[in-house]
Amino acid sequence: MGNYKIGLQGILFDAKSSFMQGPALAPPLIRKAYNSPSANYFSESGKELTPDIWSDKGDYKIKDYFEIESITADNLTKVQSMITLGGDHSITYPVLKAVHNRYGPVHILHIDAHSDLYDEFEGDKYSHACPFARIMEDKLAGRLLQVGIRTLSTRQEEQAIKFGVEIVAMKDFDLRSIPKFDTPIYLSLDIDALDPAYAPGVSHHEPGGLSTRQVLQIIQNIDVPIIGADIVEYNPNRDINGMTSMVCAKFLKEIAAKMIMNKL
Ligand code: MN
Ligand code: MN
């Protein structure tokens, strides 16, 4: 793979979860699944993604929410592009602040059962139900495209209209209906976008979701550079036989392969 390295950081943080804790435990388990001898390091495109492709910055225990921004900013000075392992979805706002600082407004592909557009949730503006409201208010994203949504409340629909968010709702999902991007993107992947049958290890089981294959196809169809990505909301406390950790590891591999193929 030459000298090209992808940054990797784990954020051990789930204090902004509204329903149950657990995602703070995820990063080391996703790494373990990635390196499991039950599988090899080849992506489906035939790229071998051995551990030396990573510039691994390790896992961070977070005390103060906005530490996530400074940690990410520091790591971004050392790599060209980075994948962040969460953690609950609240981490995406401070990560995006750091990404914006480096790249300017990015276009975001957000795959999730939920829009995460609440102005505040249970009194917290930084809840994992709110990161995309904060991102849009701060104009960190040029464009926000959400895919897999199946829980849109009236309040969130109003927010989506206000911020000009594009939504491919799960009920209308068709791979060909996903609009194309023409600039580099940031990919934010909430594992609860998947049907719980494929990924039981999440806090919020929302039936009727994407299959593992559909998410892989969305990733594989990206034809612009990916400047950064996160995989969030994996909750090991809810997993069965580590199945969801293998799903996360598979996505990590396919996103990394895509980052290498569509280099900035
Ligand atoms: Mn989410
Ligand atoms: Mn979600």
Side-chain angles (χ1 to χ4, degrees), residues 83 187 189 219 229 231 251-259:
I83 302 179
L187 170 63
L189 175 51
I219 295 167
I231 299 173
F251 293 152
L252 178 59
K253 205 169 11 172
E254 292 298 317
I255 294 167
K258 189 50 89 169
M259 276 179 162

Side-chain angles (χ1 to χ4, degrees), residues 89 110 112 114 116 128 190 192 233:
H89 217 156
H110 167 206
D112 201 328
H114 314 94
D116 297 345
H128 73 157
D190 182 328
D192 70 29
E233 295 285 344

Side-chain angles (χ1 to χ4, degrees), residues 106-180:
V106 290
H107 293 193
I108 301 175
L109 173 58
H110 167 206
I111 305 174
D112 201 328
H114 314 94
S115 254
D116 297 345
L117 280 169
Y118 281 105
D119 181 47
E120 55 88 27
F121 199 79
E122 293 170 351
D124 187 357
K125 289 182 88 73
Y126 304 115
S127 159
H128 73 157
C130 306
F132 292 92
R134 300 290 84 76
I135 286 164
M136 297 312 278
E137 270 169 10
D138 287 4
K139 301 189 169 28
L140 305 182
R143 179 180 175 193
L144 174 59
L145 173 63
Q146 302 186 321
V147 177
I149 308 302
R150 52 192 186 277
T151 58
L152 201 65
S153 60
T154 308
R155 186 71 198 108
Q156 289 191 101
E157 193 177 4
E158 288 164 1
Q159 291 276 88
I161 292 165
K162 174 176 150 191
F163 293 127
V165 180
E166 298 162 76
I167 297 180
V168 176
M170 195 65 225
K171 70 178 173 54
D172 306 319
F173 181 79
D174 175 336
L175 206 54
R176 286 159 303 184
S177 70
I178 299 178
K180 286 279 181 192

Side-chain angles (χ1 to χ4, degrees), residues 3 10 22 62 96 103-104 118 126 142 166 182 193 220 235 241 256:
N3 293 321
I62 306 298
L96 247 295
Y103 298 98
Y118 281 105
Y126 304 115
E166 298 162 76
D182 53 11
Q220 289 164 354
N235 184 342
N241 297 330

Side-chain angles (χ1 to χ4, degrees), residues 10-11 15-16 33 38 45 57 75 87 119 125 130 136 145 148 155-156 159 168 181 184 210 212 216 220 226 257:
I11 302 295
K16 299 292 183 188
S38 82
S45 56
K57 308 304 180 195
N75 285 333
D119 181 47
K125 289 182 88 73
C130 306
M136 297 312 278
L145 173 63
R155 186 71 198 108
Q156 289 191 101
Q159 291 276 88
V168 176
F181 287 93
L210 294 160
T212 305
L216 290 170
Q220 289 164 354
I226 302 174

